[in-house]
Amino acid sequence: MVVHQLSPSVLVRSAFCKEAIEEMKEKGCQQYLDFASGYDSFAYYYQNQMHVFEIDKKEVIEDKRQRCKDVDIENIQFLSIDLSQENWINTLLQSDYQEDQLSISSMLGLSYYLTKDEFKKMLKQLSKYLLKGSHLVFDYPSIQESKETKINEMLAKEADESMKAKYSFAELKEILNQCHLTIIQHENHQTVTEKYISNYNVYYKDDPIKAPEGVCYCVVEK
């Protein structure tokens, strides 16, 4: 379960996101918005290089801060936000976030747990306050059914969560167009497996792993 179901999903999307962040850093980007940050540790890697905003529900943020109370934290701002609420953007705008600066936003694992309408509203609200040239990176469940996606749905249900949406590429593109966002990179399970896992599989030929089918990875630009 860990090796073939959980690890590939998390590792692939993390590698995909890190690549997108590094590319934006080269363009002078100084703001990293980590939506649904959970227990992600990217913030602590980038805290001396960028201003990081960790964004999640209040109970998650409070628990994470408690767990990290003995960790040196610099340049990280924790924001308790429920993204399904209409006025969530106000909390971001009242923080140290700078609308006139480039930013990169990660939304890993988020699209699964918002309805299509909630996801669209969130993107539309955020897009209004992004400087042109800013990027967003996220993964999303496609309408393609697979054994892995069915297992993920089962695991989510066991954790009292439910996967609320799946998208076709055409549907996602239309939503993004309405939010004034343009797709600049799009990958499926085959391309990310080749890109991020192929070297591992060379050394572990008897037990190869692959990215989960039915999940796609996307970078969009304002």
Side-chain angles (χ1 to χ4, degrees):
M1 182 62 75
V2 172
V3 173
H4 292 283
Q5 182 69 32
L6 300 177
S7 295
S9 176
V10 175
L11 292 173
V12 163
R13 73 187 188 190
S14 295
F16 182 76
C17 183
K18 187 174 186 295
E19 192 174 78
I21 294 172
E22 293 295 333
E23 183 178 320
M24 284 299 288
K25 275 177 55 190
E26 291 179 4
K27 296 179 180 180
C29 177
Q30 293 293 315
Q31 296 186 116
Y32 171 39
L33 282 64
D34 190 358
F35 287 88
S37 57
Y39 298 99
D40 186 282
S41 60
F42 268 18
Y44 308 98
Y45 180 82
Y46 286 109
Q47 64 177 332
N48 295 319
Q49 306 167 53
M50 309 173 79
H51 193 106
V52 182
F53 300 84
E54 288 224 349
I55 301 166
D56 212 318
K57 292 182 178 180
K58 183 178 179 181
E59 58 270 25
V60 176
I61 290 294
E62 289 180 350
D63 185 52
K64 189 172 187 179
R65 296 195 72 169
Q66 178 64 25
R67 290 169 182 263
C68 297
K69 63 183 179 181
D70 297 324
V71 177
D72 290 333
I73 295 176
E74 299 177 9
N75 233 14
I76 299 176
Q77 191 164 6
F78 295 91
L79 301 179
S80 299
I81 293 177
D82 184 345
L83 296 169
S84 65
Q85 298 300 309
E86 291 286 341
N87 61 349
W88 72 265
I89 193 70
N90 293 338
T91 304
L92 177 63
L93 298 178
Q94 291 164 10
S95 72
D96 294 334
Y97 172 71
Q98 302 295 313
E99 297 173 46
D100 60 351
Q101 292 184 17
L102 281 176
S103 65
I104 178 159
S105 302
S106 69
M107 302 176 176
L108 303 180
L110 179 59
S111 65
Y112 302 73
Y113 303 110
L114 295 176
T115 65
K116 291 180 180 180
D117 187 52
E118 288 172 341
F119 190 49
K120 179 180 175 180
K121 284 182 179 178
M122 176 196 164
L123 292 175
K124 188 171 284 188
Q125 282 184 301
L126 179 60
S127 178
K128 290 179 184 178
Y129 301 100
L130 294 177
L131 183 68
K132 187 174 181 180
S134 293
H135 286 186
L136 287 76
V137 55
F138 59 91
D139 57 333
Y140 71 92
S142 75
I143 57 174
Q144 174 190 359
E145 280 288 324
S146 72
K147 176 178 144 185
E148 288 92 343
T149 53
K150 288 178 181 177
I151 293 175
N152 281 339
E153 287 182 24
M154 179 192 71
L155 292 173
K157 195 172 291 184
E158 289 293 326
D160 293 326
E161 294 281 3
S162 60
M163 298 177 70
K164 298 179 179 179
K166 295 178 184 176
Y167 301 85
S168 68
F169 178 78
E171 182 180 25
L172 180 72
K173 187 175 179 180
E174 176 59 26
I175 289 173
L176 293 169
N177 285 341
Q178 292 177 27
C179 300
H180 307 290
L181 298 169
T182 304
I183 296 174
I184 59 173
Q185 184 179 359
H186 188 272
E187 309 282 359
N188 61 25
H189 75 278
Q190 293 173 317
T191 56
V192 293
T193 294
E194 176 62 29
K195 196 170 187 178
Y196 302 117
I197 304 179
S198 58
N199 287 342
Y200 172 92
N201 287 338
V202 168
Y203 290 96
Y204 297 92
K205 294 179 182 178
D206 295 333
D207 194 22
I209 61 176
K210 64 179 182 177
E213 295 181 28
V215 177
C216 295
Y217 309 82
C218 196
V219 179
V220 301
E221 182 175 79
K222 169 66 183 289

